[in-house]
Amino acid sequence: MTAKEPLRIAVVGGGAAGYFGAIAAAELGASVTLFEKGSQFLTKVRISGGGRCNVTHSCFEPRALAERYPRGSRALIGPFNRFQPRGTVEWFETRGVPLKTESDGRIFPVSDSSQSIIDCLLAAAENAGVTLRTSCGVTGIHSLNTLQRGFELRLANGETFFCDRVLLAGGGCRTTAAGVLATSLGHTLEPPVPSLFTFEIHETWLRDIPGAVAEVEASIPQTNLRERGPLLITHWGVSGPAILRLSAWGARELHAKDYHFSLRVDWLPGLDAQKEIAKRRVESAGRAVSKSPVSPLAARLWEKLVLISGIDPATTWNRLPREQAAALNVNLHRTELPVTGKSLNKDEFVTCGGVRLPEVDFRTMESRLCPGLFFAGEILDVDGITGGFNFQAAWTTGWIAGNAMSAPC
C-alpha cells in the first residue's frame, strides 16, 4: 500500500454501531465498504421505541452514564469521556435532525419517527462515500501474515474481499455471523442470554386488568434485585421500566432460574399502608373498602388487591375484620407473583453476552488478540437498561472504532 492509497476498511453489520463506525472512518478518508447480510440496513433503528427511535438519554456525566450498564460499566467510562449523549445530540442536530428530551430523560427525534434517524445516517454514509452492500453476508475471515497485514473476507456470494482493517459490528450471539467471525480469529464469547424482557405471570386477577399502571418497588426474593419505577400490567403478566430494569440487571441470574421465580411488588413504596388503613376506618367508616382506593393506586387495581385479601366487595371500613385488614396491608406492600416465563420486549432485542471485554482495548475498540480487528455495538459483552442506553453504547463504540481504524498503519 502506498502513502497515497486510502486504507481499505470492511465493516460487518449494518446496524447503528456499524453505520456510525463506517461513517466516522470514511469521513476521515478511509475507503469503507459496509456489508449487511439482510436486505435492509438499520432494521433495529426502524422499530426501536415503537417506531420513534429512542436515540439516547440525557445523562451527560460519564460515570453516572456508565452505571446504566449491567455489563460493561467500567469499560465504558473512558469511551464516554470521549463521546457521550451530548456528542450524539450534536452529531444528529448538526446534520439536520432536531432532538427532544422527554420527562424521563429519553431523547427522541422531534419528528417522533425513526425514519428521521435512518435518513440522516443514510445521507451521511452516502456523503462520506461509504460503499453499501446489502444481502451480502461475510461467511469467513482470515488474518494475513504479519508481512502482508490485513484481512481476506469470504462473502456469501463466493467473492473474496481484501482489506486493511475490519470492524465487526453485528450481534453477539454465538450463532450470528459476527460471533463466528470473532471466534475464528481467537476471541471468546461470553454465553448470550436475553436481557430486557417482560415477565409472564398466570394470575387471573392480574390478567383481568391489562393496561393498569402503578409506581412500584419490585424485587425478587433471595436476590439483590430491586427496582423502583412504573409497572405495567399486561395480558400476559407485567412489563414497564421497573420490570425491564430488573430483567437487565438479573439477566444471567434469572436465566439460571429458567425464568421461574417469585416477584414481590410493593404497590405503595414509601407509604405506610397500615396507618392509612387505620385512618380510613375513622374518616371513611361507612364506605365500602373496595370503592375507596388509596392514592395513587388505580381503582381497578385497588379492587383486585382488596379481593385477593379476602375482603367482600360490600364490606365497609368500620366492619373490616382485623385479619382482613392485616392481609390487605401485606398485599399492598408484599404481593407475591409467581413468574413462569419471559416475553421479549417488542421494542428491544438486547442480549447480554458477546466478545469478552478484556480482549478489547476500549481506547480504540481494537482487538488485543488480532491487530487490525475492531469491535462495536452488540457483539461486545455490553448491554444497558432501557431508555436509550443501548443505542448510546452503539454510537460511542462505533465512533471510537471508526476514528481509530482510519489512523495510518
Side-chain angles (χ1 to χ4, degrees):
M1 185 185 73
T2 67
K4 293 183 179 180
E5 291 177 333
L7 283 166
R8 296 188 69 192
I9 293 174
V11 178
V12 181
Y19 242 88
F20 224 59
I23 292 167
E27 288 182 341
L28 290 172
S31 174
V32 182
T33 302
L34 178 57
F35 295 97
E36 167 57 44
K37 68 177 180 180
S39 60
Q40 292 184 322
F41 293 109
L42 303 165
T43 53
K44 289 187 181 179
V45 173
R46 185 178 304 279
I47 65 175
S48 70
R52 297 171 63 211
C53 189
N54 183 184
V55 180
T56 185
H57 197 281
S58 61
C59 181
F60 303 117
E61 201 286 310
R63 286 187 177 274
L65 178 61
E67 290 174 358
R68 271 61 171 190
Y69 295 82
R71 284 146 293 273
S73 57
R74 291 183 62 184
L76 287 170
I77 294 173
F80 285 152
N81 273 288
R82 296 180 57 198
F83 192 89
Q84 49 121 306
R86 188 171 283 113
T88 301
V89 171
E90 181 180 354
W91 195 94
F92 282 103
E93 291 196 333
T94 57
R95 288 166 173 78
V97 182
L99 304 177
K100 61 179 180 179
T101 304
E102 300 198 339
S103 60
D104 59 2
R106 294 181 301 163
I107 296 178
F108 292 87
V110 170
S111 66
D112 278 329
S113 172
S114 60
Q115 193 62 47
S116 299
I117 301 300
I118 292 172
D119 289 344
C120 177
L121 292 168
L122 291 173
E126 182 178 1
N127 292 337
V130 177
T131 299
L132 304 173
R133 299 188 63 175
T134 55
S135 302
C136 190
V138 177
T139 59
I141 184 170
H142 173 66
S143 177
L144 302 178
N145 61 44
T146 305
L147 182 64
Q148 289 180 284
R149 297 180 65 86
F151 298 86
E152 176 186 340
L153 275 60
R154 295 185 297 279
L155 309 184
N157 62 5
E159 291 181 43
T160 299
F161 185 89
F162 292 92
C163 59
D164 301 295
R165 293 171 182 173
V166 175
L167 172 61
L168 295 183
C173 295
R174 290 184 183 275
T175 55
T176 65
V180 172
L181 296 177
T183 56
S184 75
L185 292 172
H187 280 277
T188 305
L189 301 183
E190 294 290 350
V193 301
S195 181
L196 291 182
F197 50 85
T198 60
F199 298 168
E200 290 186 358
I201 299 171
H202 296 277
E203 289 285 321
T204 302
W205 72 266
L206 195 72
R207 293 191 172 199
D208 283 345
I209 51 172
V213 178
E215 286 284 334
V216 308
E217 181 174 273
S219 60
I220 298 175
Q222 300 179 338
T223 74
N224 293 320
L225 300 171
R226 183 181 301 273
E227 288 288 338
R228 279 199 182 195
L231 176 148
L232 169 66
I233 297 171
T234 69
H235 289 287
W236 63 86
V238 292
S239 183
I243 299 304
L244 293 174
R245 288 197 293 268
L246 275 180
S247 74
W249 288 106
R252 294 201 178 280
E253 200 166 355
L254 301 182
H255 176 75
K257 294 177 179 292
D258 195 28
Y259 308 104
H260 284 70
F261 53 90
S262 178
L263 174 69
R264 181 175 295 163
V265 181
D266 183 346
W267 302 99
L268 296 170
L271 187 147
D272 189 330
Q274 191 169 9
K275 287 185 178 179
E276 186 65 29
I277 290 171
K279 180 181 176 182
R280 294 297 179 95
R281 284 183 180 279
V282 176
E283 296 181 357
S284 304
R287 293 194 62 189
V289 176
S290 62
K291 299 301 181 183
S292 47
V294 174
S295 180
L297 292 182
R300 56 184 181 144
L301 173 58
W302 170 262
E303 289 179 359
K304 292 297 183 181
L305 292 171
V306 169
L307 181 65
I308 65 170
S309 300
I311 302 171
D312 187 278
T315 300
T316 57
W317 283 106
N318 60 353
R319 294 183 178 276
L320 179 64
R322 288 185 179 181
E323 297 80 6
Q324 293 179 3
L328 178 60
N329 178 55
V330 169
N331 282 318
L332 288 171
H333 285 310
R334 293 168 60 90
T335 298
E336 300 280 344
L337 299 171
V339 177
T340 57
K342 62 168 176 57
S343 297
L344 291 179
N345 181 23
K346 292 180 181 179
D347 295 338
E348 305 281 356
F349 298 90
V350 176
T351 301
C352 79
V355 173
R356 290 181 176 173
L357 304 189
E359 298 177 358
V360 181
D361 184 347
F362 273 71
R363 295 171 298 181
T364 60
M365 305 312 302
E366 186 173 13
S367 165
R368 295 184 186 275
L369 309 180
C370 181
L373 175 66
F374 294 76
F375 299 101
E378 291 182 39
I379 191 172
L380 295 161
D381 185 25
V382 170
D383 63 285
I385 62 175
T386 185
F389 298 104
N390 286 294
F391 269 139
Q392 185 56 53
W395 309 132
T396 294
T397 54
W399 185 87
I400 290 175
N403 278 270
M405 287 190 301
S406 59
C409 295

